[in-house]
């Protein structure tokens, strides 16, 4: 005769099967990248790694005026201000591993996303995406993060041909504001996620070099 424990185990198995089936159905409805990011977030810490999910870019319309405002806003977030606002929560020392979400406050997450969206708009944005800047010369950004941190910049990989891995050619405006925005965005991304003492990045005017 079936006892109470058998009934409980049977009920648990039935409930478990239904929950798994429901969870599977819901996961299938989610964006592929989101599922991958969640899996990395669960698996990576077990191997002592910090997962760096690819940032989902939010389109950022830009004009000369809004770019100036964006650069001023990012530049205002100095290391001292980030510390004063408790943006980082017991992060690893500079030069150590990536700074993961667990070490960033909600404000830091917003700032990091804004910096990445601005960098994407400056390097890859066009008029179709609302980036309306009068670009008068060509510049080249050479970006060389450590290999184990390069995935942070995966949101810049559009699959389009480039001069070389880590090189991005972009249009600059008359007063150099695009380059200033690139530097400001990279500084904040490094401070809030990449976590290098010095992130190697160089901007040079290729129009003059080619001329």
């Amino acid at each position: 005769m079936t006892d109470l424990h058998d009934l409980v185990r049977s009920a648990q198995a039935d409930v478990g099967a239904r929950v798994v089936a429901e969870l599977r159905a819901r996961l299938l409805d989610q964006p592929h990248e989101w599922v991958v990011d969640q899996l990395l977030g669960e698996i990576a810490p077990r191997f002592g790694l910090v997962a760096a999910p690819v940032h989902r870019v939010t389109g950022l319309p830009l004009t000369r005026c809004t770019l100036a405002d964006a650069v001023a806003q990012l530049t205002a977030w100095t290391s001292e201000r980030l510390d004063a606002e408790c943006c980082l929560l017991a992060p690893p020392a500079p030069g150590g591993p990536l700074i993961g979400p667990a070490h960033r406050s909600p404000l830091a997450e917003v700032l990091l996303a804004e910096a990445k969206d601005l960098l994407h708009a400056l390097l890859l944005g066009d008029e179709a995406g609302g980036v309306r800047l009068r670009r008068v010369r060509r510049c080249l950004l050479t970006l060389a993060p450590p290999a184990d941190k390069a995935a942070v910049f995966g949101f810049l990989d559009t699959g389009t041909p480039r001069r070389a891995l880590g090189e991005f050619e972009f249009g600059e405006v008359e007063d150099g504001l695009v380059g200033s925005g690139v530097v400001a965005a990279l500084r904040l991304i490094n401070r809030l996620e990449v976590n290098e003492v010095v992130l190697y990045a160089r901007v040079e005017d290729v129009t003059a070099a080619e001329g």
Side-chain angles (χ1 to χ4, degrees):
M1 180 177 179
T2 302
D3 62 15
L4 178 60
H5 292 91
D6 291 334
L7 290 175
V8 170
R9 283 192 292 269
S10 177
Q12 287 176 329
D14 290 343
V15 171
R18 288 198 296 271
V19 169
V20 169
E22 177 66 18
L23 178 60
R24 182 178 187 277
R26 294 191 181 191
L27 286 173
L28 288 172
D29 286 338
Q30 304 305 314
H32 175 74
E33 288 186 0
W34 181 88
V35 175
V36 172
D37 289 347
Q38 298 304 307
L39 286 173
L40 285 174
E42 290 292 327
I43 295 171
R46 301 179 189 180
F47 296 92
L49 304 173
V50 177
V54 176
H55 172 66
R56 294 184 187 83
V57 175
T58 298
L60 184 63
L62 286 176
T63 63
R64 171 63 180 74
C65 291
T66 59
L67 174 56
D69 290 342
V71 173
Q73 178 180 339
L74 290 190
T75 303
W77 284 97
T78 61
S79 295
E80 293 75 18
R81 185 180 178 189
L82 291 171
D83 291 340
E85 297 284 351
C86 298
C87 288
L88 294 177
L89 313 172
L98 290 170
I99 297 173
H103 295 288
R104 287 192 294 269
S105 70
L107 173 58
E109 291 287 0
V110 171
L111 292 173
L112 181 59
E114 289 178 350
K116 290 182 177 181
D117 289 341
L118 178 62
L119 185 62
H120 186 276
L122 293 177
L123 296 179
L124 304 172
D126 54 23
E127 288 198 6
V131 178
R132 296 180 173 84
L133 300 171
R134 185 173 178 272
R135 305 188 190 241
V136 297
R137 63 182 187 275
R138 304 301 298 172
C139 290
L140 180 69
L141 167 67
T142 302
L143 182 61
D148 60 343
K149 298 181 177 182
V152 169
F153 298 98
F155 67 96
L156 296 176
D157 185 5
T158 62
T160 56
R162 297 201 301 268
R163 289 174 173 237
L165 187 65
E167 291 189 347
F168 302 87
E169 190 171 325
F170 64 92
E172 180 59 279
V173 296
E174 186 67 38
D175 57 0
L177 194 57
V178 172
S180 297
V182 167
V183 171
L186 286 174
R187 181 190 62 81
L188 205 53
I189 293 169
N190 182 51
R191 186 71 175 83
L192 296 177
E193 185 172 17
V194 179
N195 198 33
E196 286 297 288
V197 176
V198 177
L199 175 62
Y200 179 80
R202 181 180 66 190
V203 175
E204 55 186 323
D205 190 333
V206 295
T207 303
E210 292 172 354

